[in-house]
Amino acid sequence: MKFGGSCLQDARSYTQTAEIIRIYIGKSRLVIVASAMKDITDKLIDFYVKTCNEDLGCESILNNINSIHRKLIEQLMNFESIEYEKSIIFLKKNIEELTQLGHVIKLIRPSIEIQDLIISYGEKLSTFILTQYLNSLGIKSKYFPSNELILTDDNFGNALPLLNDTEALINEDLVPLLKSEPDLTSCITGFFASTKEDKKITTLGRGGTDLTAAIIAYSLRNIFDTRVIYWKDVKGLLDADPKISKKTSLLKQISYIEAKELSFFGTKVLHPLCLDVSEKGNVPSEIRSFNEPDSDEFTTITKESVEDGNVIKAITSIYKLSMVTLESDTMIPLSGTASKLFSLLGDNNVNLVFISQSSSENNITFGIDFEDSKKVSFLLRNSDLFGKNWFRIKINNDISLVAVIGAGVLHTPGIAGKVFTTLGNNNINILAIAQGSSELNFTAIIERKDCVKAINVLYDAFII
Ligand code: ASP
Ligand code: MG
């Protein structure tokens, strides 16, 4: 089970977390993965930045972090208990270490490596306190720092897990305990891990606790019948964005490939990589509501997609997008032009959202993030090849992308036709179409003024 910052923000939410754990205890072996308390990672980053800049404010940030955790400990545990005492000692020791690190930063060159080390303290504190709190309630628990269980490459700040090495380590250090003490709740820190050789702390990127949970479940899959539950402040994944669509409903069952497609188009409920890891290990996931743990309204994500007669599972959109059209009667058909174009964009870190080329081959159209529009215009107009006058460059900054999503879109006749008729009947002009990022969606590019209407009419046509 994964608990994020909003499940761990104060004494009330810690109590709710313990209530949820109680529901499952005795029924299955439990491994808990916890992130830092709400906002603590941001505060630690702020501490790091201010320390680097020798800003005097850095001391008060540590005082603030200290008092948030101290208040939590005081509210959760009886001050005469051993758990209270252990928590206070742990907090004191860790705040001292952070203070020391602050002194070190002033002496050496700042680096993302040190930043990772510093921000790992958020998870250490929240998870250790959770472990002690559970013990104080009679729920036998053990604390595991994740750098002793998860190995990554040395891409600090956004490290990638080494799945095989991690699986071996977990088999050695966690599995024996899970086997011998089925009632013990293991509490593992989320977000951080360690490099393989020199055992330096790395982090998995913001929101990385989701990924920690997926990696641990992956590593246990061959030994136990494993599933991951992500406790969130939403019920699960929805079939459209509630900010745009008048109607939405919960997706009760969806496949990993479809869920990844949803996250590509902006539904960022889970860290994107954890869907890949769970799909690879064939581990089912559930997204459940932290505030309604007993509810049967939740999303299950599995490897296989479930046929329910409806090919289209969701309608999604990217509201703000720019579209570039490169035209040239003579040049575009020449082989190598597209490759030069995409290398130029790739070398300059431009993210391509869609690409479409007409078969007459005298233009290439592609979508980019709105924020990249000026950069792309500059790159093209100053390029030796595309800046010459036999290319015409048009950039439209007022477009949106709408997509219908579902496994089997490509193999189902009539989907594209239905998108065209639906939008056409509602006077929505289609500027370009694309088979999106994969065969799981059919994408239409429209003017931004039509986006909200398009989502709603497509929802009515495909989902209701
Ligand atoms: N605490 C980390 C963050 O805020 C990791 C997480 O929340 O999953 O990014
Ligand atoms: Mg968080």
Side-chain angles (χ1 to χ4, degrees):
M1 287 183 180
K2 182 261 174 168
F3 292 92
S6 55
C7 311
L8 302 166
Q9 50 176 309
D10 51 18
R12 198 207 63 81
S13 54
Y14 265 73
T15 310
Q16 173 72 355
T17 297
E19 287 302 314
I20 292 177
I21 291 172
R22 253 192 231 283
I23 303 176
Y24 288 82
I25 231 154
K27 296 187 191 124
S28 18
R29 289 180 174 81
L30 279 186
V31 178
I32 307 298
V33 181
S35 84
M37 288 181 79
K38 191 164 188 266
D39 300 334
I40 295 295
T41 308
D42 289 333
K43 289 184 200 258
L44 286 165
I45 293 175
D46 200 24
F47 167 70
Y48 168 77
V49 171
K50 291 222 162 86
T51 310
C52 292
N53 297 336
E54 300 193 23
D55 185 324
L56 294 175
C58 59
E59 203 173 313
S60 70
I61 301 174
L62 276 195
N63 288 339
N64 178 244
I65 293 176
N66 186 29
S67 61
I68 291 171
H69 290 90
R70 192 172 180 111
K71 182 171 160 213
L72 177 74
I73 297 169
E74 283 167 359
Q75 288 178 337
L76 289 176
M77 289 170 263
N78 180 333
F79 74 97
E80 282 168 335
S81 66
I82 179 80
E83 291 84 12
Y84 174 91
E85 196 189 325
K86 282 188 184 166
S87 305
I88 293 288
I89 292 173
F90 188 86
L91 174 63
K92 201 164 163 249
K93 176 174 154 273
N94 283 274
I95 294 290
E96 273 165 19
E97 282 178 21
L98 280 169
T99 313
Q100 285 305 322
L101 279 169
H103 296 321
V104 174
I105 295 171
K106 288 182 188 138
L107 300 175
I108 60 170
R109 214 154 25 104
S111 70
I112 185 91
E113 244 178 83
I114 305 244
Q115 175 168 321
D116 270 1
L117 177 58
I118 287 184
I119 61 182
S120 72
Y121 279 82
E123 273 66 17
K124 289 183 195 162
L125 291 171
S126 66
T127 312
F128 189 86
I129 296 171
L130 177 65
T131 315
Q132 293 310 319
Y133 173 53
L134 293 173
N135 276 318
S136 78
L137 297 173
I139 302 173
K140 211 173 142 216
S141 311
K142 185 170 157 57
Y143 169 75
F144 289 89
S146 46
N147 56 321
E148 292 174 9
L149 295 174
I150 298 183
L151 299 175
T152 65
D153 63 11
D154 59 2
N155 186 16
F156 294 93
N158 254 317
L160 284 175
L162 305 172
L163 286 178
N164 294 340
D165 295 310
T166 300
E167 190 175 345
L169 199 56
I170 287 187
N171 268 294
E172 228 166 79
D173 292 350
L174 182 63
V175 168
L177 207 71
L178 289 176
K179 281 189 173 161
S180 64
E181 293 198 53
D183 293 332
L184 182 77
T185 299
S186 316
C187 297
I188 304 177
T189 51
F191 188 41
F192 68 89
S194 150
T195 57
K196 190 176 167 186
E197 266 81 43
D198 42 15
K199 303 281 175 269
K200 286 184 178 157
I201 297 252
T202 53
T203 64
L204 303 171
R206 295 307 304 269
T209 305
D210 285 343
L211 183 54
T212 310
I215 296 168
I216 290 169
Y218 175 90
S219 307
L220 296 173
R221 76 200 183 286
N222 288 328
I223 296 156
F224 303 105
D225 181 9
T226 310
R227 75 185 148 132
V228 196
I229 303 180
Y230 298 93
W231 295 99
K232 296 274 170 178
D233 47 15
V234 291
K235 281 189 175 148
L237 300 174
L238 297 177
D239 58 2
D241 180 352
K243 287 197 264 347
I244 299 184
S245 182
K246 287 194 197 108
K247 296 169 209 151
T248 58
S249 53
L250 183 77
L251 288 159
K252 287 204 157 183
Q253 181 100 45
I254 188 164
S255 67
Y256 279 109
I257 48 169
E258 289 166 327
K260 280 193 277 182
E261 201 69 9
L262 286 181
S263 60
F264 176 79
F265 288 108
T267 317
K268 298 230 165 26
V269 174
L270 289 180
H271 187 289
L273 209 60
C274 71
L275 296 169
D276 270 324
V277 170
S278 296
E279 182 185 20
K280 192 164 146 62
N282 196 3
V283 177
S285 304
E286 291 172 8
I287 301 174
R288 286 177 173 268
S289 161
F290 180 68
N291 291 312
E292 293 170 73
D294 294 317
S295 165
D296 54 11
E297 292 278 292
F298 61 91
T299 300
T300 304
I301 314 175
T302 51
K303 187 151 182 175
E304 267 73 49
S305 82
V306 193
E307 293 299 330
D308 61 357
N310 257 354
V311 176
I312 300 303
K313 297 275 167 52
I315 313 286
T316 55
S317 60
I318 301 178
Y319 187 67
K320 229 175 164 188
L321 209 62
S322 294
M323 179 169 84
V324 184
T325 305
L326 199 62
E327 286 176 342
S328 170
D329 306 333
T330 42
M331 294 302 288
I332 298 222
L334 297 183
S335 63
T337 303
S339 114
K340 284 179 193 125
L341 170 66
F342 297 130
S343 307
L344 175 69
L345 299 174
D347 291 346
N348 288 284
N349 288 324
V350 175
N351 175 37
L352 286 172
V353 181
F354 70 87
I355 303 167
S356 113
Q357 183 181 16
S358 63
S359 56
S360 66
E361 289 190 26
N362 57 13
N363 71 58
I364 299 179
T365 296
F366 55 93
I368 52 173
D369 296 334
F370 181 79
E371 286 72 26
D372 282 342
S373 167
K374 281 213 177 83
K375 174 159 110 182
V376 169
S377 165
F378 180 84
L379 283 172
L380 291 176
R381 292 184 214 281
N382 287 288
S383 122
D384 280 346
L385 176 63
F386 303 108
K388 298 276 154 55
N389 53 12
W390 41 68
F391 282 100
R392 288 180 301 282
I393 303 163
K394 289 185 199 155
I395 303 189
N396 183 344
N397 289 315
D398 300 310
I399 61 150
S400 296
L401 172 161
V402 291
V404 296
I405 293 190
V409 164
L410 191 71
H411 312 291
T412 314
I415 303 264
K418 198 162 162 184
V419 172
F420 287 132
T421 352
T422 308
L423 296 180
N425 287 347
N426 287 282
N427 294 321
I428 298 168
N429 191 19
I430 299 179
L431 306 173
I433 54 166
Q435 196 71 53
S437 61
S438 70
E439 296 176 1
L440 287 147
N441 72 66
F442 182 82
T443 296
I445 310 303
I446 56 175
E447 286 174 47
R448 193 170 305 132
K449 67 172 177 44
D450 293 329
C451 183
V452 173
K453 186 171 166 197
I455 288 287
N456 284 287
V457 294
L458 288 172
Y459 195 94
D460 285 344
F462 282 97
I463 299 207
I464 300 273

